[in-house]
Amino acid sequence: MKRYSVFALARAALDWHQGWERAWRDAQPKGRYDVVIVGAGGHGLATAYYLAKNHGITNIAVLEKGWLGGGNTGRNTTIIRSNYLQDSSAAIYEKARSLYETLSQDLNYNVMFSPRGLLMLAQTEHEVKGYMRTVHANHLQGVATEWIGPDRVKDLVPAINIDGPRYPVLGALYQARGGTARHDAVAWGYARACSAMGIDIIQNCEVTGIDRAQGRVSGVRTSRGAIACDKLGLVVAGHSSVLAEMAGFRLPIESLALQALVSEPVKPMLDVVVMANTVHGYISQSDKGELVIGGGTDGFNNYTQRGSFQHIQETLRALIETFPAISRLKMLRQWGGIVDMTGDRSPIISTTPLEGCFVNCGWGTGGFKAIPGSGWAMADLMARGTPGPLAAEFSLTRFREGRFIDESVAAGVAH
């Protein structure tokens, strides 16, 4: 596959850019693969990529019922951070963050990673104590974060109102190397790299059943025919419970819609990511000038990908007090993503009761930031059959054994 570079761009200009090939092959399904991965979002594509790159396994099919990156990968607010409290969480998210820093070079595709810095505002005394604890934990984990006071917050974010009557800013947990990336580009970059290594990416191919023989997975039935495989990876976010039922087991997750919206574009006014957990809102500015704003999940299980007026109103009412300047902006569009929530708000990267079947799910509202680390850990698990150090604590058996990784209590929010 042609390598992207400034020289390739200059050569293509001589031909009016008519000679560019497709970024990835439109593959037809074969009858058998060594590995089938269900889900061509960021996590599924990253798993396939690291299976090939780190373990030399290339006879892989990545199946997607819709279009590549059309699920949560294309429906999030692109935040990247690793300042989690629990050791196992910090390890996998820091792995992901560090991989993001060189991902454009690794994939030969600009994923537009922007380490612009990330602030988690403390707007109650309880949050101040909690974030101070997280800073100390991060120092022990090797994750670079710091506690900053309200004056430094104001320096970093001039548009912020630190003296709000309901939600004053008392300080913030600051991760200077946190930031954002282009969500579509992450999926496209992984897809292009996978295709270049001979991996088949098959879109519009819905899995309708999972075949088993003597307690082991033997293949999948799809809308484009039956496909046999030795190993099967289920990486489908909010639809994980549906696929698990096909495989004959249950998962401790629930599916909810997570809300987000963008404003009309404005001149640059916010060059860091700001999260306000007390009011459950977070905001950043895209390269196009749009303010990207996220809120909470619906209070009931559903599979909708639409936003709801209730959450948009609730999120904006609180954020406008913290950022008065945005009060007159028009909303450009809104949407929802189907997230899969576990009881402890931490993911599952695990073997399953069906031999040869592996599952990667439960990322809840924090999936995008984890994509490279998740793919790395899942690929290691699928190649070896046993989890490596990144995935070991995220086993499905932890719920039966009471080994919870409770980030909902630790962070107050799972984003």
Side-chain angles (χ1 to χ4, degrees):
M1 195 164 281
K2 185 180 296 185
R3 182 171 179 80
Y4 293 157
S5 68
V6 64
F7 304 107
L9 189 66
R11 285 194 297 269
L14 301 175
D15 189 31
W16 301 97
H17 296 285
Q18 298 299 307
W20 292 109
E21 58 191 9
R22 290 182 178 272
W24 58 85
R25 294 175 293 107
D26 184 18
Q28 298 298 313
K30 297 186 294 190
R32 183 176 188 84
Y33 293 91
D34 294 336
V35 175
V36 166
I37 295 169
V38 185
H43 291 257
L45 292 167
T47 300
Y49 174 74
Y50 292 116
L51 274 169
K53 180 181 178 181
N54 295 348
H55 303 282
I57 302 171
T58 57
N59 186 23
I60 302 171
V62 184
L63 311 182
E64 174 55 51
K65 74 172 184 178
W67 68 93
L68 186 148
N72 287 355
T73 301
R75 296 174 179 271
N76 63 81
T77 51
T78 73
I79 293 173
I80 296 169
R81 68 180 182 91
S82 61
N83 53 349
Y84 283 74
L85 178 66
Q86 309 291 357
D87 290 349
S88 49
S89 300
I92 196 165
Y93 283 108
E94 178 64 10
K95 177 67 174 181
R97 191 206 57 78
S98 64
L99 288 170
Y100 265 122
E101 291 199 325
T102 58
L103 195 59
S104 294
Q105 292 79 12
D106 292 342
L107 301 180
N108 183 224
Y109 198 96
N110 184 12
V111 303
M112 299 172 69
F113 175 64
S114 173
R116 61 185 65 181
L118 178 139
L119 293 169
M120 298 180 71
L121 302 181
Q123 295 178 290
T124 67
E125 292 294 343
H126 174 75
E127 279 191 310
V128 172
K129 294 176 181 178
Y131 287 150
M132 290 294 291
R133 179 178 66 161
T134 300
V135 168
H136 296 315
N138 289 162
H139 288 172
L140 293 173
Q141 296 154 351
V143 177
T145 61
E146 61 177 310
W147 169 259
I148 63 175
D151 291 341
R152 177 84 186 283
V153 172
K154 185 67 174 177
D155 289 340
L156 290 169
V157 191
I160 200 169
N161 175 22
I162 63 173
D163 300 315
R166 291 182 298 168
Y167 308 113
V169 176
L170 307 177
L173 174 62
Y174 180 45
Q175 184 170 23
R177 299 300 293 175
T180 63
R182 167 75 179 185
H183 48 6
D184 293 326
V186 172
W188 298 338
Y190 273 122
R192 182 174 181 272
C194 286
S195 183
M197 291 188 286
I199 295 168
D200 287 349
I201 301 169
I202 306 167
Q203 301 178 79
N204 300 306
C205 183
E206 181 177 2
V207 172
T208 58
I210 296 175
D211 295 325
R212 292 163 282 174
Q214 298 179 338
R216 182 178 180 83
V217 67
S218 59
V220 294
R221 282 163 278 142
T222 78
S223 57
R224 298 179 64 176
I227 301 174
C229 64
D230 297 323
K231 294 182 178 181
L232 175 65
L234 306 180
V235 195
V236 292
H239 288 87
S240 297
S241 56
V242 177
L243 272 292
E245 186 175 357
M246 292 181 189
F249 59 90
R250 296 182 65 188
L251 289 172
I253 64 170
E254 55 184 3
S255 298
L256 304 166
L258 177 68
Q259 313 294 320
L261 71 144
V262 296
S263 75
E264 60 184 320
V266 293
K267 290 183 178 180
M269 60 170 285
L270 185 64
D271 59 0
V272 297
V273 180
V274 179
M275 301 176 63
N277 292 345
T278 295
V279 301
H280 211 122
Y282 40 101
I283 183 170
S284 63
Q285 189 166 20
S286 74
D287 294 333
K288 294 185 291 184
E290 301 165 345
L291 294 181
V292 184
I293 298 171
T297 56
D298 283 344
F300 50 89
N301 293 351
N302 65 88
Y303 286 96
T304 183
Q305 290 182 314
R306 298 170 296 179
S308 65
F309 178 77
Q310 173 194 354
H311 274 293
I312 297 304
Q313 183 184 44
E314 180 182 302
T315 300
L316 291 180
R317 183 172 61 239
L319 279 179
I320 284 171
E321 181 180 312
T322 308
F323 293 93
I326 72 173
S327 61
R328 292 193 177 187
L329 288 179
K330 293 181 174 64
M331 184 177 71
L332 191 63
R333 61 186 181 276
Q334 68 178 116
W335 67 90
I338 308 168
V339 299
D340 46 338
M341 309 286 280
T342 61
D344 61 1
R345 299 301 188 262
S346 290
I348 300 168
I349 308 174
S350 179
T351 57
T352 70
L354 178 61
E355 188 178 353
C357 179
F358 306 84
V359 66
N360 183 341
C361 67
W363 291 96
T365 57
F368 177 76
K369 67 177 69 68
I371 284 174
S374 164
W376 186 288
M378 182 67 168
D380 197 42
L381 171 64
M382 293 190 70
R384 304 177 188 276
T386 56
L390 285 178
E393 297 298 318
F394 298 107
S395 170
L396 185 57
T397 61
R398 77 176 188 270
F399 299 98
R400 184 175 67 242
E401 298 166 356
R403 296 183 292 102
F404 302 123
I405 309 168
D406 203 337
E407 285 296 343
S408 61
V409 171
V413 64
H415 293 293

